[in-house]
Each structure stands twice: as structure tokens, then as C-alpha cells.
Amino acid sequence: MAKIKGDISNNFCPQSLYLYGNYEEDGVTPHFGLFCWYGWCWLGEGQGKLGAMVCVGGEKRTKDLIRKTGMLSANLVSEPLLPLADYYGCVSGQDTPDKMKRLPTVERGQTLKVPTIAESPVSFELRVVKEETLTEDASPDKATTLFLCEVVNVTLDERLCDSSMPVIERMKLSQAVSTVAEETYVSFFGQELGKWGEPMKSL
């Protein structure tokens, strides 16, 4: 295999897409957005606790709410959820004040006061333990913020808990979506699902 020098990018570093959610101060009105990046870590010594490293780009209402409440949900994007996730990722709430008129089926978290998405096969409830600005030289509206979070609770489709079913079959059931290169959404089984901005046209 020959290798050549390429442009610096995160192309071909697949990650599952997640929608984050939190409530307005009224504790009733939900807000959702699409993470720029979502990864995992361990918090504490020994076995510790599962942590999530999540990035939110730009200054926006949802980021303000994360800072105020110190909590949020993370909901795995499945293929049926992709049009809505694409919409949340491509449409600015500053330019579209009624952006949240398009909502999934909202459920309350079991442990934290956060909105979770019923249609998502896996939902995490996260508590923020640290915030870090990654692009301090950028203007506030373009700054990326990393939130280091503790995973407090998880709810998932009961079929994904069936250990008698091969992992690959459960992965297929989840219909998880990734974005890997050239602003394109793909399934984990090789199906192209559209460019950024395309799936939301079906809403």
C-alpha cells in the first residue's frame, strides 16, 4: 500500500453522530443541536467513571443553557433521525428564531432534568465537570467549546441489550449514522446517506 502526504483533516475518522438536548430555564421548553464532535474518556482513578468529551461550535442558545444548567443529554442519531439532525446541524437558531418548531418526541431524563429523544436508540444523560474553550483566538460566534462530562445515566432500545444477538446485528438495529469525509453522512455498513444539508430537505 502506497501512502502520500495529504491535507490535515479528520476525514476517515468515523464517529457516531449525537444530538444534544437541554431545557430552557422554564424546565419545559426543549432545545436540541448537533455536536461537532463526540468522544469518550475515563474520569477518576482506578475503574473511574465513563466520561464524554463533547464539542459545541459557536455561541448559541443551546451552549448558554448547557453552561447555566451544567447538564445535557446526548442522543444517538439513527437513520430515521438523520433529516432532523441534519436540520439542527445546518440551520442557525439566530437566523431562524422558530428553529425548535421541529421537534422529535421528547422524553424527560430518568436521572437528570434534560430532554431525551424517544426515537433515538441510545440516550445518555450527562453532567458537565469541566469546560474548555479550544479556539480562544476566534471570534465568540465561531469559538468551539469542549465540555468534559460524566455519564450519569443511559437509556437504550431493549433489543440492544439482548446479548444473545451478535453485536453486529445489534449495530444494524441501531442504524447509527456517521460522517467521515467530504461533508457526507454514511451508515456504518457502507451506505451513503447524503451530503450535509441534503437529508433535511425531506422534512
Side-chain angles (χ1 to χ4, degrees), residues 36-176:
C36 297
W37 198 258
Y38 191 100
W40 304 101
C41 63
W42 286 105
L43 302 174
E45 298 179 357
Q47 294 201 357
K49 298 176 181 177
L50 182 62
M53 303 175 291
V54 302
C55 287
V56 180
E59 289 304 310
K60 54 192 70 173
R61 183 67 181 145
T62 45
K63 189 185 285 188
D64 290 339
L65 292 170
I66 292 171
R67 287 171 172 149
K68 287 180 179 178
T69 65
M71 63 186 76
L72 64 155
S73 68
N75 306 272
L76 182 66
V77 175
S78 61
E79 291 179 38
L81 270 176
L82 180 57
L84 189 60
D86 183 52
Y87 171 77
Y88 287 147
C90 293
V91 174
S92 166
Q94 294 174 333
D95 300 330
T96 310
D98 64 345
K99 177 179 175 179
M100 287 300 132
K101 72 178 181 181
R102 297 183 185 274
L103 286 172
T105 305
V106 179
E107 297 179 329
R108 282 188 173 270
Q110 293 181 344
T111 304
L112 299 179
K113 194 174 183 179
V114 294
T116 64
I117 298 175
E119 293 88 346
S120 175
V122 184
S123 295
F124 295 94
E125 297 169 45
L126 309 177
R127 180 180 291 116
V128 177
V129 297
K130 186 177 182 181
E131 175 185 340
E132 191 77 36
T133 300
L134 302 180
T135 47
E136 293 185 8
D137 58 336
S139 59
D141 63 321
K142 296 189 181 300
T144 297
T145 302
L146 169 69
F147 294 100
L148 183 62
C149 305
E150 175 191 351
V151 177
V152 177
N153 191 51
V154 59
T155 54
L156 61 165
D157 183 325
E158 62 183 1
R159 296 174 299 172
L160 302 182
C161 300
D162 183 1
S163 58
S164 68
M165 185 186 301
V167 170
I168 195 70
E169 294 304 318
R170 284 178 275 162
M171 188 69 185
K172 288 177 182 176
L173 275 174
S174 76
Q175 294 184 279

Side-chain angles (χ1 to χ4, degrees), residues 4-18:
I4 62 172
K5 181 175 175 59
D7 296 331
I8 295 175
S9 75
N10 59 3
N11 284 347
F12 307 105
C13 297
Q15 62 152 354
S16 298
L17 294 181
Y18 284 85

